[in-house]
Amino acid sequence: MTYRVCFVCTGNICRSPMAEFVFRTRVAEAGLEDLVEVDSAGTGGWHEGEGADPRTVAVLRENGYGAEHTARQFDPSWFRGLDLVVALDAGHLRALRRLAPTERDAEKVRLLRSYDPAAGDDLDVPDPYYGGPEGFDACLEMVEAASHGLLAAVRKQVEGRAA
């Protein structure tokens, strides 16, 4: 049975596609690509149908990641098919938990940086959209740091299903 993860930010053109591509790479490196499905969405539909922000694409490609992406809006009906919904900041976390049709679905929502022990109490990945390239580099660093802990948690869930 496939384990499904969806990363969610505001417009699905910066942070969540970045997290999607980084985590998809980690999943493939771990040999779990047949067991884990990774995608992303936005809390709003402002950029639906558009590609990722060119700065996101540039930073991903510069660091060896894929970047082919089409933005979409998160649909609450997706909760029933998802195992984990990963919010990029506390505002997304609150919005997603409000959208969740059941308490069980709300429990599927977690903050990305909660998987990075070095993050401390600052669990938001800041939105780089209104800044320069350095914000996108910082975003990638945070996403990469959290992806290792997230992979360990997902691996544990996947292995638990196989047992």
Side-chain angles (χ1 to χ4, degrees):
M1 178 181 242
T2 303
Y3 190 91
R4 292 181 170 82
V5 180
C6 184
F7 294 93
V8 181
C9 70
T10 305
N12 192 218
I13 61 169
C14 296
R15 293 172 283 179
S16 59
M18 193 177 291
E20 173 187 350
F21 284 102
V22 168
F23 193 63
R24 185 176 290 137
T25 299
R26 295 296 168 267
V27 165
E29 291 168 350
L32 298 174
E33 63 267 31
D34 293 337
L35 301 172
V36 180
E37 183 179 297
V38 183
D39 61 20
S40 65
T43 57
W46 307 280
H47 299 285
E48 209 164 11
E50 297 176 17
D53 184 291
R55 297 165 295 178
T56 297
V57 171
V59 102
L60 284 169
R61 288 191 176 145
E62 287 167 10
N63 288 277
Y65 298 104
E68 292 299 317
H69 174 75
T70 302
R72 62 192 187 140
Q73 183 174 1
F74 187 87
D75 187 311
S77 69
W78 298 350
F79 271 107
R80 76 179 151 263
L82 293 169
D83 296 287
L84 182 62
V85 180
V86 184
L88 277 288
D89 71 27
H92 306 132
L93 179 84
R94 287 188 299 275
L96 289 162
R97 287 188 173 163
R98 279 193 305 270
L99 287 173
T102 68
E103 184 60 36
R104 183 172 178 219
D105 290 327
E107 291 170 2
K108 295 177 182 180
V109 184
R110 298 279 187 269
L111 280 167
L112 176 63
R113 291 195 73 209
S114 68
Y115 294 98
D116 178 5
D121 293 333
D122 185 12
L123 299 181
D124 285 353
V125 175
D127 188 352
Y129 186 77
Y130 293 104
E134 65 282 345
F136 287 82
D137 291 331
C139 180
L140 180 63
E141 288 176 23
M142 290 178 196
V143 167
E144 287 179 328
S147 70
H148 300 290
L150 176 57
L151 180 64
V154 168
R155 183 191 303 270
K156 186 175 179 181
Q157 292 296 314
V158 169
E159 290 172 354
R161 286 182 175 186

